[in-house]
């Protein structure tokens, strides 16, 4: 089967792609309403805002969910710094490290979440802190000899109980979104 694409078009596109070494990637956030009152936050890293918006809108609408106005879903979540630590850590030591680092906000220790957040097996503990203090906490953990990585995440203020059908429909939407090249991850407030 022939695609009938002229050789000069192919050569020109290869040349353009190989010359383009700098891309301006932006972090974008989209919000959507899922089934059963669930809120979805779609985190995107893209070099093309228009393509990312169109792809997210299409994926959301084709699964029966609805795109939300900015802020209409996010108020149900708190932005937190999330540090994945590759060593066992107890709450007392985490608090001591936070105090020594000068963290004044709330520090919380959690178990890894391999199913929800996809934490690898190497992650033994998770520390949540305020977004402004994530750098200080990471430096304190690393100074104590603990390997860790950090990110900003949206933690639900409250979880929404949904039926099995609504849960399945919401995961169809999440799966479709996560198949997009520009989507980094999708956060939700479903009680699992």
């Amino acid at each position: 089967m022939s695609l009938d694409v002229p050789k000069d078009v192919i050569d020109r596109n290869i040349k353009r792609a190989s010359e383009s070494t700098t891309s301006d990637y932006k972090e974008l956030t989209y919000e959507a309403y899922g089934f059963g009152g669930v809120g979805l936050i779609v985190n995107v890293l893209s070099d093309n805002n228009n393509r990312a918006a169109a792809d997210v809108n299409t994926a959301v609408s084709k699964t029966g969910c609805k795109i939300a106005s900015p802020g209409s879903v996010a108020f149900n979540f708190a932005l937190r710094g999330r540090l994945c630590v590759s060593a066992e850590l107890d709450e007392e030591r985490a608090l001591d490290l936070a105090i020594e680092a000068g963290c004044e906000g709330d520090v919380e220790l959690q178990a890894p979440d391999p199913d929800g957040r996809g934490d690898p097996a190497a992650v033994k503990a998770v520390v949540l802190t305020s977004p402004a203090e994530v750098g200080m906490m990471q430096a304190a953990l690393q100074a104590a000899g603990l390997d860790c990585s950090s990110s900003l995440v949206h933690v639900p203020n409250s979880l929404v109980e949904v039926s099995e059908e609504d849960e399945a429909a919401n995961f169809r939407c999440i799966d479709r979104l996560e198949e997009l090249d520009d989507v980094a991850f999708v956060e939700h407030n479903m009680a699992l």
Side-chain angles (χ1 to χ4, degrees), residues 151-179:
S151 61
L152 293 178
V153 297
H154 294 90
V155 177
N157 294 329
S158 63
L159 298 175
V160 176
E161 297 283 340
V162 295
S163 67
E164 288 182 21
E165 296 82 22
D166 287 346
E167 182 178 318
N170 287 326
F171 276 117
R172 275 194 301 278
C173 181
I174 291 169
D175 291 343
R176 187 152 195 172
L177 286 164
E178 289 181 342
E179 289 172 359

Side-chain angles (χ1 to χ4, degrees), residues 81-143:
R82 186 173 194 268
L83 297 121
C84 295
V85 184
S86 61
E88 296 293 333
L89 186 67
D90 63 18
E91 193 169 349
E92 184 178 334
R93 184 161 184 219
L95 290 174
D96 287 344
L97 288 170
I99 291 168
E100 288 174 17
C103 297
E104 296 177 5
D106 186 26
V107 174
E108 179 183 344
L109 186 66
Q110 291 184 337
D113 186 8
D115 297 326
R117 298 238 180 234
D119 291 334
V123 175
K124 304 298 182 201
V126 173
V127 178
L128 293 179
T129 186
S130 72
E133 296 177 340
V134 71
M136 291 188 307
M137 189 66 194
Q138 184 171 9
L141 289 165
Q142 290 172 339

Side-chain angles (χ1 to χ4, degrees), residues 50 61 65 71 76 82 91 128 132 150 158:
N50 294 333
S61 63
C65 296
N76 291 308
R82 186 173 194 268
E91 193 169 349
L128 293 179
S150 64
S158 63

